[in-house]
Amino acid sequence: MFTYILDEDTELRPLEPAHARHIYQLIDQSRSYLRQWLSWVDATTSVQASEDYVRAALTQSNRLG
């Protein structure tokens, strides 16, 4: 898996379905702030919605790569 180390505390790596719960929790905690700029926030209503997004992004990435 691709991983790019930015510093000792930060790295970039592709999303995986296992990240869905954490993604959803972050969105949910910041929902009122995020909705000012991101129209999709209110449609993200479950961990499953986050997992579906990750899977779709992976599928699209695989088609492009």
Side-chain angles (χ1 to χ4, degrees), residues 31 35 38-45:
R31 193 173 294 280
R35 82 168 41 98
L38 304 170
S39 60
W40 52 262
V41 167
D42 289 329
T44 306
T45 58

Side-chain angles (χ1 to χ4, degrees):
M1 171 192 338
F2 167 82
T3 301
Y4 184 81
I5 306 296
L6 297 171
D7 60 38
E8 63 185 47
D9 298 317
T10 311
E11 67 183 31
L12 294 174
R13 58 187 160 135
L15 291 176
E16 299 175 9
H19 298 131
R21 180 169 303 283
H22 191 135
I23 292 167
Y24 176 75
Q25 289 170 343
L26 290 170
I27 291 167
D28 201 43
Q29 291 168 3
S30 302
R31 193 173 294 280
S32 62
Y33 180 77
L34 293 172
R35 82 168 41 98
Q36 297 175 60
W37 297 280
L38 304 170
S39 60
W40 52 262
V41 167
D42 289 329
T44 306
T45 58
S46 67
V47 173
Q48 185 62 52
S50 294
E51 186 174 333
D52 292 346
Y53 168 78
V54 171
R55 289 186 189 283
L58 287 171
T59 298
Q60 183 178 7
S61 175
N62 288 336
R63 282 190 221 144
L64 297 174

